[in-house]
Amino acid sequence: MNIKITYNWLREYLDTKATPAQLQKYLSLCGPSVERMEKVDDDFVLDIEVTSNRVDTASVLGVAQEAQAILPQFGIVADIKNNPREHFSLSSLKADKKSPLNVSLVDPALCPRFTAVVLLNVQIDQSPEFMRRRLEGCGIKSINNVVDFSNYLMLSLGQPTHVFDYDKIQGAKMILRESKKGEKITTLDKKEVLLPGGDIVIEDGSGKLIDLCGVMGGLTSAVTGESKNVLLFVQTYEKNHIRRTSMTTGIRTVAATYFEKGLDEERVSVAAAYGVSLFQKYAGSPSVANITDIYPQPYKKKTVTIDLADIDKKIGVRIKPATSQAILTRLGFGVTVDGRSMSIGVPSWRKDDIEIKEDVIEEIARIYGYYNLPNNLQSVVYLKQPVELADFFTISRKIKFYLKHLGIHETMNYSMVSKSLIEGVGLKPETHLKLKNTISEEIRYLRRSLSPSLLKNVKDNEGKAYELHFFEIAKVYQPTRKDLPREEYKLGIITNGDFYYLKGIVEGMFRELNIIGVFEKSSSCRFCPDNGQAAIFIHGKEIGFLGKVKSSCQNAFEIKQPVCVAELDVASLVSEANLLPAYKAVNPYAQIKLDLTMDTDKTFEEMRLTAYRGSKYLSQADFVGLFGKKKKTLRFYFAAADRNLTQAEAAAELEKIKSALNK
């Protein structure tokens, strides 16, 4: 995930003279990467990439904590100031307890900490100018002071919050539970969401759902310009539930990207108290009427012990114990040194990614600077691959080189396809495996054929070139009963050339691989007409098909010119291929070449096999051309192994073949 913060905002929490350019350079070297920096008026906006396991850095305070540890490594003084963790706490708030709030957690594991503050007589208005400028500079539109407070808290502390209209919470009652399958909630964006079940939700005293927790609030409890009393809600959730709900419903919000990574329960009270201070300063000084804080299992600081010798051994360079101690202290760890041992107290915001001593050593190495470590490369070790895997790469590489040199372009498509692509070739979506947590309907189903994707490639490139030829070697996924799908490698080829052009490509590939393939009439492919497709066999085993694509399928893809497609099983090609052809001595005697044109319904394959059975001197048979609908011309080569055949003998052999074909 990426966040945007401003330089002046960062300076509120960080006492340093580092310039924006220095911050960008040194943070990117040792911590969160500053991908872009843009000057906006008298400030700079920093676009920062946050790694998934470091959600604690996804805030102004989190970046300041990192900068406090990194900048001194480059001789720049930097210290945290105005630390909200030291200035704000729930214990400092006093409530009149005039407004009740009944909270029930059906399963406390769903919400490790539930904090809510009721505020009376709130004035809904514009937020202060500095706040609007900062939020808009960070890409967040200013709405009003209540909404802006919530966004400001999230960027300041890395803790999403939500504000309810207190008077719309029926019975002043909130029940946090898992949703039932088929329940519905109307979210703030006015969309009705059908819940899959197992989602964290809140219902009020009337049984109505008022919050899809961690993802988006409900419309029925939303704050409007007429709201007077509000409930500031700050909490943490079980992260796996939030991730699943966000993916299955397709609702991806900024709050969800925070909650699904796991947040610091200790920061909840800080955010709540800070939020109350914003309301009291910029929303008409509302009174605090109720404070609820449910925190059944407070954080117990864990400790990791490290031998100082392990630090040097793991990193590979000598680092002074004082340097290691200073780095960890500035990162917020508690450090106690006892002789050659170091005891590390893990702060609450690092509890999920610091487990073992290697995690701590990695932090020391990161801040010390990977660029300071020796770059000695380990010696290369060759691992022999299994024979079948080596054969696969060898043969697939040979196929790719052959097709490439014919001018056929390789494509790489997603393994997932849309419902429209499947239906476009006449297949049934229900026979395909469907992803439960897809992020787009375009990648909903695991494909069982390469052809739909290749047809889309033709459509996307039609008009850019006169000749379109593509191929792909990739997996397809065949469903199996109550098990993982069977994964099969397929070779798909598509062209806007005719049937015989594509057949020639496949035959040429067989010659490259020294495979004898047979083509027979077929009607098994749904997206090819019965009179325009052929099954491909090797040693009696069907390994694929080729054919002209039906006009109805072309129309579904809006392809203007006829296309032909072939699909072959790569495993069969690998097992049957021979890199070296069998030796065959050159016949020293002359060949006689004769053509035969016949009006027949027989395929070339049928005619070729019949011809070989009808003549003992036939050495080769080629297809020359098709005239009209049924008139075919074949070219036969005759030769004897012990003498030169006469023209008369060759003509006699041709008559035998003609007679056999007429039968």
Side-chain angles (χ1 to χ4, degrees):
M1 64 181 288
N2 278 49
I3 64 165
K4 289 183 178 180
I5 65 173
T6 73
Y7 174 71
N8 290 339
W9 195 353
L10 181 64
R11 288 288 301 276
E12 281 194 6
Y13 295 135
L14 187 68
D15 186 8
T16 184
K17 292 183 179 179
T19 65
Q22 288 175 320
L23 275 170
Q24 181 182 31
K25 178 180 178 180
Y26 299 135
L27 283 177
S28 299
L29 272 174
C30 302
S33 175
V34 182
E35 295 186 338
R36 283 177 294 277
M37 183 175 67
E38 180 183 2
K39 191 176 190 311
V40 178
D41 297 329
D42 61 344
D43 204 349
F44 290 85
V45 176
L46 308 177
D47 190 344
I48 302 174
E49 181 187 15
V50 178
T51 55
S52 296
N53 67 322
R54 291 299 310 277
V55 69
D56 63 288
T57 62
S59 64
V60 180
L61 180 61
V63 174
Q65 186 83 59
E66 287 285 299
Q68 177 186 234
I70 293 169
L71 292 178
Q73 294 299 116
F74 300 93
I76 302 174
V77 176
D79 292 293
I80 294 287
K81 65 178 181 179
N82 303 324
N83 193 337
R85 290 193 290 264
E86 299 173 357
H87 289 81
F88 297 101
S89 67
L90 283 178
S91 60
S92 64
L93 300 180
K94 293 183 180 180
D96 300 330
K97 296 187 178 179
K98 293 180 180 178
S99 299
L101 183 67
N102 300 312
V103 178
S104 173
L105 305 184
V106 175
D107 183 359
L110 299 176
C111 183
R113 190 166 190 178
F114 184 110
T115 300
V117 181
V118 177
L119 298 163
L120 304 181
N121 301 316
V122 173
Q123 293 182 9
I124 310 295
D125 201 351
Q126 275 193 336
S127 53
E129 183 182 356
F130 81 91
M131 189 176 292
R132 294 200 308 271
R133 290 179 62 187
R134 286 180 178 177
L135 290 175
E136 290 173 356
C138 296
I140 299 176
K141 184 180 179 181
S142 175
I143 305 297
N144 57 47
N145 52 358
V146 173
V147 177
D148 290 355
F149 293 163
S150 183
N151 289 325
Y152 195 79
L153 286 169
M154 181 171 65
L155 277 182
S156 292
L157 305 179
Q159 171 63 55
T161 64
H162 184 56
V163 182
F164 293 90
D165 186 320
Y166 171 74
D167 298 319
K168 293 179 181 178
I169 303 174
Q170 299 299 318
K173 187 174 183 179
M174 301 178 78
I175 302 173
L176 188 143
R177 61 172 174 83
E178 285 189 338
S179 68
K180 304 179 183 67
K181 184 177 181 179
E183 281 190 291
K184 296 179 180 179
I185 181 173
T186 302
T187 50
L188 287 172
D189 55 1
K190 300 181 181 180
K191 293 180 180 178
E192 187 176 73
V193 180
L194 181 67
L195 300 177
D199 317 282
I200 305 175
V201 295
I202 294 177
E203 70 173 45
D204 63 10
S206 68
K208 185 179 296 183
L209 298 186
I210 60 172
D211 190 23
L212 182 56
C213 295
V215 180
M216 190 178 289
L219 184 63
T220 56
S221 60
V223 173
T224 65
E226 288 73 40
S227 298
K228 294 295 181 184
N229 306 313
V230 303
L231 184 143
L232 174 62
F233 183 38
V234 191
Q235 67 295 318
T236 60
Y237 298 113
E238 197 284 312
K239 59 184 180 182
N240 294 322
H241 277 72
I242 304 302
R243 173 71 176 177
R244 184 171 61 248
T245 296
S246 180
M247 297 303 291
T248 53
T249 60
I251 305 175
R252 296 296 294 162
T253 59
V254 177
T257 62
Y258 277 88
F259 283 121
E260 70 187 11
K261 293 173 177 62
L263 297 180
D264 175 18
E265 290 83 8
E266 293 293 303
R267 197 169 294 188
V268 167
S269 61
V270 177
Y274 190 6
V276 171
S277 73
L278 292 176
F279 272 92
Q280 292 181 332
K281 192 171 183 180
Y282 302 113
S285 300
S287 58
V288 178
N290 187 298
I291 300 173
T292 301
D293 185 24
I294 303 174
Y295 192 16
Q297 294 183 330
Y299 174 67
K300 295 179 181 178
K301 184 173 287 188
K302 58 184 177 182
T303 303
V304 178
T305 303
I306 303 176
D307 192 305
L308 293 175
D310 283 345
I311 298 175
D312 298 343
K313 182 179 178 181
K314 296 287 184 183
I315 296 178
V317 296
R318 169 73 175 161
I319 298 179
K320 295 179 181 179
T323 301
S324 298
Q325 184 175 359
I327 288 172
L328 293 173
T329 300
R330 286 182 166 275
L331 284 172
F333 293 88
V335 184
T336 303
V337 179
D338 183 9
R340 295 296 298 169
S341 179
M342 186 183 288
S343 181
I344 313 298
V346 180
S348 59
W349 62 89
R350 298 300 301 274
K351 68 181 186 303
D352 289 333
D353 72 304
I354 302 295
E355 295 287 346
I356 56 179
K357 64 181 181 181
E358 283 78 8
D359 294 332
V360 178
I361 294 171
E362 182 183 7
E363 289 298 290
I364 296 171
R366 177 173 69 87
I367 303 300
Y368 179 76
Y370 291 131
Y371 52 88
N372 287 322
L373 305 183
N375 57 356
N376 299 326
L377 296 177
Q378 293 182 343
S379 57
V380 177
V381 176
Y382 172 73
L383 296 177
K384 189 175 181 180
Q385 299 296 318
V387 174
E388 58 274 14
L389 189 61
D391 288 346
F392 169 80
F393 283 114
T394 300
I395 300 304
S396 61
R397 180 180 173 86
K398 192 173 181 66
I399 292 171
K400 289 181 180 182
F401 266 81
Y402 164 74
L403 295 174
K404 180 194 78 168
H405 286 105
L406 288 181
I408 304 176
H409 298 279
E410 182 177 8
T411 67
M412 287 182 284
N413 295 300
Y414 285 120
S415 296
M416 293 79 71
V417 294
S418 64
K419 183 178 181 180
S420 61
L421 284 186
I422 296 172
E423 292 177 337
V425 295
L427 301 178
K428 297 180 179 179
E430 55 267 26
T431 64
H432 293 66
L433 290 171
K434 183 167 68 172
L435 301 184
K436 290 180 67 175
N437 62 339
T438 184
I439 59 174
S440 168
E441 290 301 320
E442 295 298 311
I443 48 174
R444 167 69 71 176
Y445 297 89
L446 285 173
R447 59 181 176 176
R448 298 185 65 180
S449 168
L450 303 183
S451 297
S453 302
L454 290 171
L455 283 164
K456 187 176 185 300
N457 294 147
V458 171
K459 170 57 185 174
D460 292 343
N461 289 277
E462 199 169 37
K464 299 176 182 177
Y466 179 73
E467 293 185 355
L468 297 173
H469 316 296
F470 300 106
F471 79 92
E472 182 178 13
I473 296 178
K475 287 181 180 178
V476 296
Y477 302 85
Q478 309 299 349
T480 56
R481 188 173 179 80
K482 295 182 179 180
D483 202 352
L484 293 173
R486 188 175 72 255
E487 300 180 14
E488 301 172 346
Y489 272 103
K490 297 287 185 180
L491 164 63
I493 308 172
I494 195 165
T495 174
N496 59 0
D498 62 16
F499 177 91
Y500 299 106
Y501 176 78
L502 180 58
K503 182 171 179 283
I505 291 173
V506 176
E507 288 177 326
M509 182 182 68
F510 284 168
R511 284 194 292 272
E512 284 288 310
L513 301 177
N514 299 297
I515 291 174
I516 298 175
V518 176
F519 300 83
E520 294 185 4
K521 280 184 178 180
S522 174
S523 59
S524 60
C525 179
R526 288 193 172 189
F527 44 87
C528 295
D530 292 349
N531 61 347
Q533 62 173 294
I536 305 171
F537 292 84
I538 300 176
H539 294 156
K541 177 186 175 183
E542 186 172 351
I543 60 107
F545 72 90
L546 66 84
K548 181 180 177 181
V549 176
K550 285 181 178 178
S551 57
S552 58
C553 295
Q554 280 186 220
N555 294 336
F557 284 84
E558 299 180 350
I559 298 174
K560 298 176 182 177
Q561 48 190 325
V563 288
C564 296
V565 66
E567 264 190 62
L568 298 92
D569 179 54
V570 175
S572 298
L573 296 176
V574 171
S575 63
E576 296 293 341
N578 292 290
L579 294 178
L580 294 175
Y583 174 73
K584 184 178 180 182
V586 176
N587 191 335
Y589 300 102
Q591 282 187 330
I592 296 178
K593 178 174 62 178
L594 297 175
D595 289 354
L596 175 64
T597 299
M598 292 188 66
D599 196 343
T600 177
D601 289 324
K602 290 186 174 67
T603 65
F604 166 67
E605 193 67 30
E606 292 170 334
M607 297 175 72
R608 187 179 69 85
L609 294 175
T610 301
Y612 275 110
R613 287 194 294 267
S615 172
K616 64 180 180 179
Y617 293 122
L618 180 61
S619 61
Q620 184 178 336
D622 292 339
F623 181 79
V624 176
L626 177 68
F627 305 94
K629 291 186 177 180
K630 297 193 298 180
K631 194 168 289 187
K632 301 177 179 69
T633 298
L634 276 63
R635 181 163 294 156
F636 298 104
Y637 297 82
F638 299 98
D642 55 350
R643 60 189 176 83
N644 286 322
L645 286 181
T646 65
Q647 189 73 23
E649 288 176 312
E653 292 298 313
L654 184 62
E655 284 300 319
K656 290 180 184 178
I657 292 173
K658 186 175 180 180
S659 176
L661 290 173
N662 284 328
K663 289 181 181 179

